[in-house]
Amino acid sequence: MAESKDKIKKVSVICAKGSLEDVYAALVMTNGARMEGIEANLFFTFFGLDAITKKKMNKLHTATVGNPAMAMPGGLPFPTILGVLPGVEAGVSAMMRKGMDDLDIPPVEEFLDMINAAGGKIYGCKLAVDMFKLKREDMYDDMDSIITIGEFYEKAAGGQIIFT
Amino acid sequence: MSQKEIAGVTIDVDDSGYMSKFEDWSKEIATALAKENGIGELTPKHWEVIEYIQKEVQNGAALSIRKIGKSGVVDIKEFYSLFPDGPLKKATLISGVPKPSGCV
């Protein structure tokens, strides 16, 4: 296989959305970078902060309304009207989490623990933390710190930035 | 498929440098592969991890960092410090088993 000689040395991933799939995209990319020996930062902002908010991190949902890729198990279309019924979104999200567990994909908190143990850095966005009136104790214990966007760019210097 | 001279013997390797035949593997080859991949001297802890990986692969299990972290042999932090810069890739290469295909 032809591989470029210019190895990526550092990535900084920004997670700005709080749905299950957006958060997992950021987690997989950050952890995957560490698995390859790439230095990695993971920065959570706006609704992405749910992934590092203790009360919410293990209960993230995937949208059943306004999600054109949504389908029934087996591939049949998923009528939008179903998505608004009470409990449907929670049920679909629970099914997704179960499916991921079967593939040895860890729950959000354990995934963050893995990234932390792997030497990846986890940050919260100061502006969004202030906006949502979050306190440090409400948030993931092993988060490295709450930083400003300026500090984010300092930490991202010399690497690639990925916005999920 | 290509061949490679290491520790005084010739071994078959794939395009990524992973050994094609586990039967060819020896501790001498592992030691030389470790040096070549920036791991340095293999400590008893390294050998414990290598033995665990070989046993899991022989049992047909798919390896992941998560699984190794729960093996009771090493935790994830220690695994990264034993095999820096891509622990699962390097540890499997040194263990003489195929390159893992998982994303997590």
Side-chain angles (χ1 to χ4, degrees):
Chain A
M1 192 165 53
E3 281 173 32
S4 170
K5 286 206 168 63
D6 305 322
K7 190 181 178 244
I8 294 174
K9 293 193 179 72
K10 177 174 171 180
V11 293
S12 296
V13 179
I14 301 171
C15 178
K17 292 174 218 145
S19 67
L20 194 64
E21 63 273 25
D22 291 308
V23 167
Y24 269 92
L27 292 169
V28 170
M29 296 207 70
T30 308
N31 184 62
R34 288 303 305 135
M35 285 173 71
E36 293 296 313
I38 299 167
E39 190 183 337
N41 296 313
L42 178 52
F43 181 73
F44 291 96
T45 185
F46 282 85
F47 293 110
L49 282 178
D50 281 5
I52 49 170
T53 303
K54 283 179 194 166
K55 279 188 181 154
K56 295 181 173 172
M57 59 201 309
N58 289 321
K59 296 176 190 154
L60 300 179
H61 279 190
T62 198
T64 49
V65 172
N67 180 356
M70 191 69 213
M72 290 287 200
L76 287 172
F78 187 94
T80 295
I81 192 113
L82 269 189
V84 303
L85 297 176
V88 169
E89 186 172 292
V92 166
S93 302
M95 266 176 68
M96 295 255 297
R97 289 196 294 264
K98 169 75 171 59
M100 292 198 285
D101 193 49
D102 293 345
L103 286 174
D104 203 28
I105 303 173
V108 171
E109 187 172 6
E110 189 190 336
F111 220 153
L112 290 168
D113 290 344
M114 282 173 62
I115 290 168
N116 183 50
K121 302 282 185 227
I122 296 164
Y123 301 105
C125 163
K126 184 174 186 305
L127 183 65
V129 167
D130 290 349
M131 202 182 106
F132 291 129
K133 298 189 170 52
L134 289 168
K135 295 194 191 72
R136 180 65 183 89
E137 60 265 31
D138 301 330
M139 303 177 72
Y140 176 60
D141 289 330
D142 289 323
M143 173 174 69
D144 288 88
S145 53
I146 296 169
I147 59 175
T148 63
I149 187 62
E151 287 166 323
F152 167 78
Y153 279 123
E154 284 169 19
K155 293 181 190 301
Q160 320 247 345
I161 295 176
I162 301 171
F163 194 100
T164 64
Chain B
M1 180 84 69
S2 49
Q3 289 194 318
K4 176 185 171 105
E5 290 254 6
I6 191 154
V9 291
T10 305
I11 55 170
D12 290 342
V13 293
D14 70 9
D15 294 342
S16 309
Y18 286 74
M19 290 178 66
S20 309
K21 292 187 217 134
F22 181 66
E23 313 87 83
D24 292 346
W25 185 86
S26 68
K27 289 201 164 184
E28 291 70 38
I29 292 175
T31 305
L33 285 172
K35 277 213 183 76
E36 218 179 78
N37 285 278
I39 304 297
E41 293 296 323
L42 293 174
T43 65
K45 201 76 200 171
H46 285 102
W47 289 113
E48 252 187 84
V49 174
I50 290 168
E51 274 168 36
Y52 170 79
I53 286 174
Q54 292 176 339
K55 207 173 84 211
E56 286 299 307
V57 171
Q58 274 156 21
N59 291 336
L63 287 170
S64 68
I65 290 186
R66 184 189 193 199
K67 191 165 180 178
I68 290 173
K70 287 180 174 176
S71 64
V73 179
V74 278
D75 62 22
I76 292 178
K77 199 169 185 172
E78 196 179 6
F79 187 43
Y80 271 88
S81 72
L82 287 172
F83 299 93
D85 290 334
L88 190 59
K89 278 170 81 175
K90 291 200 174 177
T92 46
L93 184 120
I94 294 165
S95 302
V97 302
K99 187 178 180 179
S101 59
C103 289
V104 176

